[in-house]
């Protein structure tokens, strides 16, 4: 019986794989530098709409160059937001919103910066180089029809919800004894989170939790523009949830939004609040703990 179940399961798996393989178009494999593209260096960028700007941008520059422009913006914005909250920490401007008492030292900031820069340049860039040729194969292409506002909005909302679900399970896996000791413990080095430590982690954790962010747009087969916007939103959200301040932002009006206090509590309890920002998955599987700061803001 065990063997028969395995055979039936294998046949079902093959059928599912064959069905999904039909969605893949390997003729769309893209090179890093496409000689066949007609590039117009003298073409001005069209600013009258986002769609026209996107098209004119890719007519003027190679798509891979645009990708690294977006990635450079991602790194720069991360550093700027991190330094902004570091200044806030040192000046004590928002002390009434501070969740945990005490502040991190300059030495901690330096340890964090070295780790983050290493991950950005020696872990994430190789991941981009590997993934870039495959994006059009799964349907994420720069030259696909530009999404309408409604389609774009729905995809972003589904990415946020989907990432929360995948993050919950992958993050919870990282709290299993072996994974925590060998991988996830690095991220928990700072029990008082701060903005620059949002992506402070073991290189393997960058890859594992990166799946949570990438799976929703891969499943939805979003436009490349939507994919870029989603990755920026995800990074800024991580900065906010690690900043250490329970700020009265409008996001708290969103149902099930836990925000900074929700994740900050995870850094003190270790065994609760595994999702990224919303509380519904943790409530559903019995791992939610409402932090005192969340009660205050209500």
């Amino acid at each position: 019986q065990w063997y028969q179940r395995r055979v039936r399961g294998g046949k079902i798996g093959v059928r599912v794989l064959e069905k999904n393989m039909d969605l893949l178009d390997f003729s769309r494999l893209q090179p890093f530098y496409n000689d066949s593209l007609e590039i117009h260096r003298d073409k001005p960028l069209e600013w009258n709409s986002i769609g026209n700007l996107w098209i004119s941008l890719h007519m003027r520059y190679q798509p891979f160059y645009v990708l690294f422009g977006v990635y450079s913006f991602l790194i720069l914005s991360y550093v700027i937001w991190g330094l902004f909250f570091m200044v806030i920490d040192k000046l004590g401007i928002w002390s009434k919103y501070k969740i945990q008492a005490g502040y991190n030292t300059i030495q901690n900031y330096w340890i964090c910066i070295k780790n983050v820069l290493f991950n950005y340049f020696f872990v994430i860039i190789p991941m981009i180089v590997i993934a870039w040729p495959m994006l059009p194969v799964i349907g994420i292409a720069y030259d696909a029809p530009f999404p309408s506002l409604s389609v774009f909005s729905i995809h972003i909302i589904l990415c946020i919800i989907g990432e929360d679900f995948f993050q919950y399970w992958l993050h919870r896996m990282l709290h299993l004894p072996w994974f925590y000791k060998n991988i996830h413990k690095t991220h928990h080095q700072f029990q008082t989170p701060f903005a620059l430590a949002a992506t402070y982690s073991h290189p393997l954790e960058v890859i594992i939790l990166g799946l949570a962010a990438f799976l929703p747009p891969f499943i939805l087969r979003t436009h490349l523009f939507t994919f870029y916007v989603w990755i920026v939103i995800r990074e800024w959200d991580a900065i906010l949830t690690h900043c250490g301040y329970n700020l009265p932002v409008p996001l708290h009006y969103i149902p099930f939004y836990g925000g900074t206090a929700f994740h900050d509590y995870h850094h003190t309890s270790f065994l609760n609040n595994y999702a990224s920002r919303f509380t519904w998955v943790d409530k559903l599987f019995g791992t939610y703990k409402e932090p005192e700061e969340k009660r205050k803001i209500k």
Side-chain angles (χ1 to χ4, degrees):
Q1 290 179 347
W2 173 85
Y3 175 77
Q4 290 177 341
R5 286 197 299 270
R6 290 296 296 270
V7 171
R8 284 198 299 270
K11 289 180 178 178
I12 293 172
V14 169
R15 285 198 295 269
V16 171
L17 181 61
E18 288 175 344
K19 185 177 180 180
N20 283 277
M21 286 295 286
D22 292 338
L23 298 174
L24 303 181
D25 182 6
F26 287 98
S27 67
R28 295 278 291 160
L29 273 171
Q30 63 181 345
F32 297 106
Y33 188 93
N34 194 343
D35 291 326
S36 65
L37 283 179
E38 188 176 349
I39 302 300
H40 303 275
R41 297 293 184 194
D42 57 342
K43 181 177 177 59
L45 297 179
E46 298 182 24
W47 297 89
N48 56 331
S49 73
I50 297 177
N52 287 338
L53 176 61
W54 175 265
I55 294 170
S56 62
L57 191 66
H58 286 84
M59 288 183 68
R60 185 168 181 172
Y61 304 104
Q62 284 279 343
F64 194 66
Y65 296 168
V66 178
L67 164 68
F68 266 90
V70 173
Y71 188 67
S72 299
F73 171 77
L74 204 66
I75 298 175
L76 183 62
S77 65
Y78 184 92
V79 172
I80 290 174
W81 280 117
L83 293 177
F84 170 78
F85 278 104
M86 185 174 73
V87 171
I88 294 297
D89 279 351
K90 296 307 174 186
L91 297 180
I93 296 175
W94 289 339
S95 56
K96 66 178 180 178
Y97 299 118
K98 192 82 167 65
I99 297 173
Q100 296 188 46
Y103 297 91
N104 284 282
T105 64
I106 295 296
Q107 182 182 8
N108 283 350
Y109 281 116
W110 179 236
I111 291 172
C112 178
I113 289 172
K114 287 191 294 184
N115 171 274
V116 169
L117 290 178
F118 177 86
N119 285 336
Y120 267 113
F121 286 99
F122 297 104
V123 179
I124 299 178
I125 286 182
M127 288 171 62
I128 292 174
V129 170
I130 293 171
W132 173 253
M134 287 294 295
L135 288 180
V137 174
I138 62 176
I140 300 179
Y142 75 91
D143 56 353
F146 200 78
S148 64
L149 179 60
S150 59
V151 170
F152 168 80
S153 302
I154 291 170
H155 280 172
I156 290 295
I157 291 171
L158 290 176
C159 282
I160 293 171
I161 296 172
E163 189 274 342
D164 227 50
F165 180 80
F166 292 124
Q167 168 82 7
Y168 175 87
W169 290 109
L170 291 172
H171 187 186
R172 191 169 179 178
M173 180 193 75
L174 289 176
H175 277 265
L176 295 174
W178 187 91
F179 287 99
Y180 184 83
K181 179 182 177 181
N182 294 282
I183 299 175
H184 193 49
K185 188 176 181 180
T186 302
H187 184 68
H188 278 275
Q189 180 176 336
F190 305 113
Q191 291 190 21
T192 304
F194 55 99
L196 276 173
T199 58
Y200 178 83
S201 53
H202 190 284
L204 286 177
E205 180 171 339
V206 175
I207 298 171
I208 293 170
L209 294 187
L211 289 174
F214 294 147
L215 280 174
F218 287 177
I219 293 171
L220 293 168
R221 297 158 65 88
T222 67
H223 192 278
L224 186 61
F225 172 78
T226 308
F227 178 75
Y228 286 163
V229 173
W230 156 240
I231 294 302
V232 172
I233 290 173
R234 178 65 188 97
E235 184 189 70
W236 289 6
D237 172 75
I239 294 169
L240 179 62
T241 55
H242 286 83
C243 72
Y245 294 89
N246 198 23
L247 302 172
V249 294
L251 294 171
H252 289 285
Y253 292 102
I254 300 174
F256 299 108
Y257 182 77
T260 309
F262 169 75
H263 187 71
D264 198 283
Y265 187 85
H266 172 77
H267 277 265
T268 59
S269 73
F270 296 92
L271 299 175
N272 302 98
N273 303 358
Y274 294 106
S276 296
R277 66 198 67 80
F278 293 118
T279 61
W280 67 274
V281 188
D282 283 277
K283 287 179 177 179
L284 184 62
F285 294 102
T287 53
Y288 175 69
K289 182 74 173 180
E290 185 167 9
E292 184 65 29
E293 284 294 323
K294 183 68 177 176
R295 300 190 193 105
K296 287 181 183 178
I297 204 163
K298 288 180 178 178

